[in-house]
Amino acid sequence: MSRQGRWIVRDPAEPNPTSRQDDVVTQPGRHRPGRERLRARPALNSAYRVVVGALGGVVVLAGVVLIPYPGPGWLVVFAGLGILATEFVWAHHVNTYALGTYRRWAAWLRRQHPGVRIGLGAATGLVVLVTLWLTGALGLVNGWLDLGWDWLSSPLAPR
């Protein structure tokens, strides 16, 4: 292999460490015998890929919902992409790109003035409060505590 600018050029005579077979990344020594048996049966292979796609998609969507809230939102997104990447090459590429972008964002944020970091934290807190208000969670707490503050009720909730 040789590096030319941003690209790595592989000599066609060298063995390829990753081969693309049925849109799945396979690496020598990493074959799972059970998965290979499923791959040999087209109907089961399709069903397996649909289940992995659905499960990974649900995990990614849950992570996206959790991003503004305190907790593991980005971790859940990356876990969902990891699930998808077990079967889909594009998900591996998206996961690699997203993780790199997240790391660059975190490094940029660490270099910023504390006022900028506090401002971004306050903006995130505002997003959380607005979504809690719109989903009716603040109105629910208002009802539990019997505060009588009607302004906490969601404008989207039926009256």
Side-chain angles (χ1 to χ4, degrees):
M1 278 194 232
S2 65
R3 182 175 280 283
Q4 294 177 352
R6 291 179 53 187
W7 304 99
I8 296 176
V9 179
R10 186 178 66 82
D11 181 7
E14 292 180 17
N16 190 355
T18 60
S19 62
R20 190 171 183 149
Q21 173 188 352
D22 193 25
D23 200 29
V24 177
V25 174
T26 58
Q27 296 176 343
R30 294 200 50 192
H31 292 274
R32 299 168 304 211
R35 180 64 188 106
E36 292 304 318
R37 282 193 297 270
L38 284 177
R39 191 172 285 135
R41 302 171 87 185
L44 286 177
N45 185 43
S46 295
Y48 181 81
R49 288 172 62 96
V50 166
V51 168
V52 167
L55 178 65
V58 166
V59 173
V60 167
L61 289 176
V64 168
V65 169
L66 291 174
I67 286 172
Y69 297 100
W74 281 110
L75 180 64
V76 174
V77 169
F78 294 135
L81 286 171
I83 291 169
L84 289 170
T86 63
E87 285 299 310
F88 305 104
V89 173
W90 62 265
H92 174 72
H93 296 299
V94 170
N95 199 8
T96 302
Y97 174 78
L99 188 56
T101 302
Y102 174 77
R103 287 181 176 156
R104 283 191 305 279
W105 162 256
W108 176 85
L109 192 58
R110 281 190 299 273
R111 292 189 310 266
Q112 299 309 305
H113 186 274
V116 172
R117 293 190 299 229
I118 289 170
L120 286 171
T124 301
L126 183 62
V127 167
V128 170
L129 284 175
V130 167
T131 54
L132 289 174
W133 175 59
L134 288 174
T135 59
L138 295 181
L140 185 64
V141 171
N142 180 37
W144 288 342
L145 300 178
D146 197 25
L147 298 174
W149 296 344
D150 292 335
W151 59 273
L152 287 176
S153 298
S154 170
L156 305 177
R159 304 247 175 215

